[in-house]
């Protein structure tokens, strides 16, 4: 028997590719060969964005298959993308595995580790007869909430297509935070057609749950003890982050602007507001301006990640004279090496959209949050940050649905003037890091490795 050789295949979004490449590097470090399967579109942009110091291609074999979306179509349309993928990618994955297995002298594929959202990849592995594991780059609470879908339908809260019929707070289980029905994971993703496609994909969680030999999750028991009790067969192994591996994260869709690290070096300890909304958040013009004005009003140094596509016309989006007024204390970049930024001592707090990766990265560095969820599981993550761990504050919208600059300034001041947020953030950091260094997550991950290696 040769070296164990696994396929790792993520859902094609930044918040999935990054943690699954991180997982891959941990596997390689433990003597497992990894072939990482991106969509063709993401493969190209990941390679294009690699910096000179990235050595990911020397450790992980990067390959691609098509996603079924035409080159000119919009891949941020998650409905279209998800639907096309499930039509085209199962066949492509199967033939890729066939080709890899037919390679003279190559190690045969012994397992598939698929994103928990890609039940079809688990089905392919099942058909071929190799080991199959699911990896969830999300909180286990958001996965566990899907178990309740049949009850939500029978209680008349949603219909069979996931459409919300009742606008109300829901207690899915006494062990996870209350959720508003309009904030269910699929309910805020795009238009009604998109929501149905995402709902269908997430509902197939039951297939993964039934077929996968192992299900692992980038979280830890300390972060969400109540949620793990709902799905005891999903095992926490996280947070798997580059800094815990003494490495650098790889797999950005856009080139990082690492000059911001040198800029952070120039700032006083614990003084900088770091502002980043992940890879998919978009803002209306008015809301974007309010973010800018809020940061201006605080009078503190800030590092703000503004992706080129965060609002319709980025060149016209800033308030008049803004850049001149903040030039001595504000830095705007189009993509930051976020994990390195969050571990920098100059960073005081994180204004975040509460994507799960951003959440565990902030937690692992003991940084308190101002929460600004955009869609999907981010509202549930906000509840953990603000209500369970008490390491952050929410922002309130005004009657027209906008978060105003005064609100941003007030919440930042409240957060930073009350030391208890930082104290709790540091306590949570200690617990979380202990788990991944020598505690439960560490043991679970070692057991997972042993299972992959076992003949
Ligand atoms: N990220 C980054 N640089 C940025 C913004 C984000 O490296 O300027 C990374 C961040 O560290 C995280 C990922 O992109 O690992 C975003 O994932 P998350 O789950 O937070 O949000 P999503 O993009 O999926 O909404």
């Amino acid at each position: 028997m040769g070296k164990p050789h696994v396929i790792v295949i993520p859902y094609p979004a930044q918040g999935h590719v990054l943690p699954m490449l991180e997982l891959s590097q941990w596997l390689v470090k433990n003597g497992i060969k990894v072939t990482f399967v991106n969509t063709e579109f993401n493969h190209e942009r990941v390679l294009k964005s690699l910096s000179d110091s990235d050595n990911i291609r020397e450790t992980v074999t990067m390959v691609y298959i098509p996603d079924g979306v035409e080159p000119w179509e919009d891949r941020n349309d998650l409905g279209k993308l998800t639907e096309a993928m499930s039509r085209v990618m199962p066949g492509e994955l199967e033939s890729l595995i066939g080709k890899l297995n037919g390679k003279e002298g190559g190690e045969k594929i012994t397992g598939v580790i698929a994103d928990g959202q890609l039940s079809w990849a688990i089905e392919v592995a099942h058909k071929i007869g190799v080991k199959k594991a699911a990896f969830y780059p999300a909180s286990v609470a958001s996965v566990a909430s899907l178990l309740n879908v049949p009850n939500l339908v029978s209680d008349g809260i949603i219909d069979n297509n996931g459409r919300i019929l009742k606008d109300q707070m829901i207690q899915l289980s006494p062990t996870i935070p209350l959720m508003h029905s309009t904030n269910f994971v699929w309910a805020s993703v795009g238009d009604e057609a998109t929501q149905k496609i995402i709902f269908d994909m997430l509902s197939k969680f039951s297939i993964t749950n039934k077929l996968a030999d192992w299900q692992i999750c980038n979280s830890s028991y300390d972060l969400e003890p109540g949620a793990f009790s709902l799905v005891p067969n999903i095992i926490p192994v996280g947070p798997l982050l580059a800094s815990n591996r003494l490495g650098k994260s790889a797999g950005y869709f856009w080139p990082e602007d690492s000059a911001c690290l040198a800029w952070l070096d120039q700032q006083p300890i614990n003084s900088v507001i770091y502002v980043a909304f992940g890879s998919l958040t978009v803002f209306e013009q008015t809301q974007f301006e309010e973010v800018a004005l809020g940061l201006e009003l605080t009078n503190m140094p800030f590092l703000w990640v503004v992706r080129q596509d965060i609002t319709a016309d980025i060149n016209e989006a800033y308030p008049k004279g803004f850049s001149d007024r903040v030039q001595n204390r504000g830095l705007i970049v189009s993509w930051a090496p976020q994990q390195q930024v969050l571990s920098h001592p100059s960073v005081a707090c994180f204004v975040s959209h509460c994507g799960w990766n951003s959440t565990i990265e902030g937690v692992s560095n003991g940084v308190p949050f101002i929460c600004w969820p955009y869609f999907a599981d981010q509202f549930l993550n906000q509840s953990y940050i603000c209500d369970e761990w008490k390491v952050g504050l929410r922002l309130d919208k005004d009657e027209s649905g906008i978060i105003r600059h005064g609100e941003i300034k007030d919440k930042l001041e409240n957060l930073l003037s009350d030391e208890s947020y930082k104290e709790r953030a540091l306590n949570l950091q200690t617990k979380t890091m202990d788990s991944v260094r020598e505690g439960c997550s560490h043991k679970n991950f070692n057991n997972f490795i042993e299972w992959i290696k076992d003949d």
Side-chain angles (χ1 to χ4, degrees), residues 14-15 18 252 274 276-280 305 334-339 353-359 361 375 378:
Q14 181 73 97
L18 281 172
Y252 295 147
Y274 174 57
F277 302 102
S279 59
L280 292 163
V305 179
S334 55
W335 192 253
Q338 180 163 299
Q339 291 195 27
H353 72 310
C354 309
W356 183 248
N357 295 291
S358 295
T359 302
E361 289 161 8
F375 75 169
Q378 295 156 14

Side-chain angles (χ1 to χ4, degrees), residues 13-16 18-19 137-138 241 249 251-257 274-281 304-307 333-342 350 352-361 374-378 381:
Q14 181 73 97
H16 296 242
L18 281 172
L241 299 179
S249 46
Y252 295 147
F253 287 177
W254 302 276
E256 67 187 284
D257 184 339
Y274 174 57
V275 188
F277 302 102
S279 59
L280 292 163
T281 306
W304 182 13
V305 179
V306 179
R307 292 185 340 267
V333 296
S334 55
W335 192 253
Q338 180 163 299
Q339 291 195 27
Q340 284 166 284
V341 167
L342 286 168
F350 184 11
S352 171
H353 72 310
C354 309
W356 183 248
N357 295 291
S358 295
T359 302
I360 55 176
E361 289 161 8
Y374 173 64
F375 75 169
D377 58 339
Q378 295 156 14
N381 301 340

Side-chain angles (χ1 to χ4, degrees), residues 108-137:
K108 301 253 178 297
I109 299 298
T110 54
V112 171
I113 305 177
D115 195 307
Q117 290 191 8
L118 305 182
S119 56
W120 50 259
I122 297 287
E123 287 176 307
V124 168
H126 186 65
K127 183 171 162 198
I128 293 172
V130 293
K131 295 179 183 183
K132 39 199 184 294
F135 174 83
Y136 296 94

Side-chain angles (χ1 to χ4, degrees), residues 134 136 140 143-144 205 209 215-217 221 228 231-236:
Y136 296 94
V140 84
V143 181
F205 159 63
N209 203 24
Q215 297 184 80
I216 56 174
C217 178
Y221 285 124
F228 278 105
V231 269
N233 53 340
I234 301 185
I235 311 292

